[in-house]
Amino acid sequence: MDYEYNSHDLEAAKKLDDFLPDRIFDAHMHIHDNTYLTGNKDDGSGNSTHDRKDVNDYLSDMRPLLGANRNIQLNTIIHPDRRLAEDAAFMSASDKFLVGQLELYPENVGEIVIFPRETTDDIRRRIVHPRIRGLKCYHVFADRPTTWDAYIEEYLPESAWEIADEKNLAITLHMVRDKALADPGNLSYIQSMSKRYPNAILILAHAARSFAAWTAIESVEALRTYENVWFDFSAICESPAMIQILKTVGVSRCMWGSDYPVSCFSGKAISIGDSFYWIYNKDLERFKGATKFNSWQVGTENLMAVRQACIIRDLSRNDIEKLFFSNAENLFRRNL
Ligand SMILES: [Zn+2]
């Protein structure tokens, strides 16, 4: 894994510097501390390791792209590692790690990972800090062999909705199944639950997981009137789905996110055929043998695509500020 931006990322960052507002609220980034499992200690040097990624790592990895002087605030989401469900001590160490990071950075908020079998009491007991403002569910915790096919109710329990509704929290949902939002089961679940729990804000991560752009383009209209269904634009590397979402639901329910540390991989997610494909290093090497081009990291691809969407939709500076900062601030700090 290569966390160093190449000179071509930095060239792109100059364009981004004119585009990005002074304040950025990253609505979707991940931290993790696996040193509990691996026995390795963080040496506090801020050097990135696979065992641990904290806010300090984020800042040193992302600042070359986001600019040295921008005010950066984060929604720090614990990485939804399958081992969290298998090891209660690891889960509580991760919860403590999140609280520690929130204490270190008072400008940030965070989300805990929730599991399908948790009751409202289980979840309530884990919300031990006022700046835990969201719940992160993930398909890997669904009780089935192929979790990519899981229906949302298999990994997002109703108890999470009840707590989110009661405490005005967000729920970050990276849905799965091939057709994503165009899957009738996914769509009808989102419609019925967001109606039943109007104080919960459901964030459809990755522009409703529209790595295959058509899935959101052809279905987001069905969510136009669902005011508590929001979208984050993290890790999407092509503009069409974001353009359609901005056009259909408006900028006020959209937020930027990096999906760090995914933002630091070299490559790009592309729509292809009826689905999508993640281009990574081994593909890039082959492509570069055939055609001369300079590749970027996912974070650069994403920000350039978001920039394109904003240009095509004629967003004002004020709208861009909402997308990158104030929408997230209003969402995560409401009733704080
Ligand atoms: Zn993520």
Side-chain angles (χ1 to χ4, degrees), residues 28 30 206 259:
H28 182 153
H30 296 283
H206 317 303
D259 206 21

Side-chain angles (χ1 to χ4, degrees), residues 28 80 135-140 142 146-156 161 171-191 202-213 215-217 219-220 222-223 229-232 234 236 245 259 276 278:
H28 182 153
L135 309 173
K136 165 71 177 172
C137 60
Y138 203 47
H139 67 92
V140 296
T146 313
T147 64
W148 286 112
D149 291 333
Y151 288 97
I152 303 167
E153 57 267 38
E154 295 177 61
Y155 54 95
L156 173 52
W161 284 97
I171 297 172
T172 295
L173 168 66
H174 169 160
M175 76 183 96
V176 287
R177 298 182 57 76
D178 290 346
K179 295 180 182 173
L181 192 59
D183 181 285
N186 282 345
L187 182 60
S188 64
Y189 173 92
I190 290 165
Q191 288 175 321
L202 181 66
I203 303 170
L204 300 181
H206 317 303
R209 210 218 61 178
S210 58
F211 294 114
T215 57
I217 289 172
S219 55
V220 68
L223 296 176
V229 179
W230 289 41
F231 300 81
D232 82 43
S234 61
I236 292 292
I245 291 167
D259 206 21
F276 64 95
W278 273 97

Side-chain angles (χ1 to χ4, degrees), residues 2 4-14 64-65 294-297 300:
D2 177 14
E4 291 292 311
Y5 294 97
N6 61 43
S7 59
H8 309 295
D9 286 292
L10 299 178
E11 203 50 46
K14 285 185 202 160
L65 201 54
N294 304 310
S295 57
W296 291 332
Q297 293 194 355
T300 312

Side-chain angles (χ1 to χ4, degrees), residues 10 14 26 48 76 97 108 135 152 168 202 206 238 256 271 277 291 318:
L10 299 178
K14 285 185 202 160
D26 185 338
S48 304
T76 45
F97 172 59
N108 294 346
L135 309 173
I152 303 167
N168 296 295
L202 181 66
H206 317 303
E238 299 174 317
W256 176 74
S271 296
Y277 181 76
T291 310
N318 190 32

Side-chain angles (χ1 to χ4, degrees), residues 34-168:
N34 297 345
T35 56
Y36 168 83
L37 295 173
T38 59
N40 291 336
K41 281 222 162 64
D42 176 55
D43 64 5
S45 67
N47 292 330
S48 304
T49 68
H50 292 291
D51 283 345
R52 182 183 156 109
K53 286 278 173 203
D54 60 21
V55 170
N56 191 38
D57 293 315
Y58 172 96
L59 292 171
S60 56
D61 290 338
M62 291 297 288
R63 278 228 181 262
L65 201 54
L66 299 179
N69 299 317
R70 287 201 163 76
N71 173 327
I72 295 175
Q73 303 181 28
L74 307 173
N75 178 30
T76 45
I77 306 174
I78 288 288
H79 172 66
D81 187 319
R82 186 193 283 272
R83 293 169 295 184
L84 290 166
E86 295 157 2
D87 184 340
F90 178 41
M91 184 193 84
S92 68
S94 288
D95 283 359
K96 278 199 190 106
F97 172 59
L98 174 64
V99 168
Q101 291 287 300
L102 293 174
E103 284 298 296
L104 276 174
Y105 299 92
E107 67 277 24
N108 294 346
V109 298
E111 295 188 9
I112 55 168
V113 172
I114 49 114
F115 307 97
R117 292 216 184 94
E118 281 189 297
T119 64
T120 50
D121 283 345
D122 293 334
I123 298 171
R124 196 180 279 112
R125 233 179 280 128
R126 292 175 55 216
I127 302 179
V128 293
H129 194 283
R131 277 182 284 114
I132 293 174
R133 300 297 299 149
L135 309 173
K136 165 71 177 172
C137 60
Y138 203 47
H139 67 92
V140 296
F141 304 117
D143 186 15
R144 61 152 75 207
T146 313
T147 64
W148 286 112
D149 291 333
Y151 288 97
I152 303 167
E153 57 267 38
E154 295 177 61
Y155 54 95
L156 173 52
E158 185 146 7
S159 51
W161 284 97
E162 289 173 36
I163 295 285
D165 193 55
E166 169 194 315
K167 293 179 174 288
N168 296 295

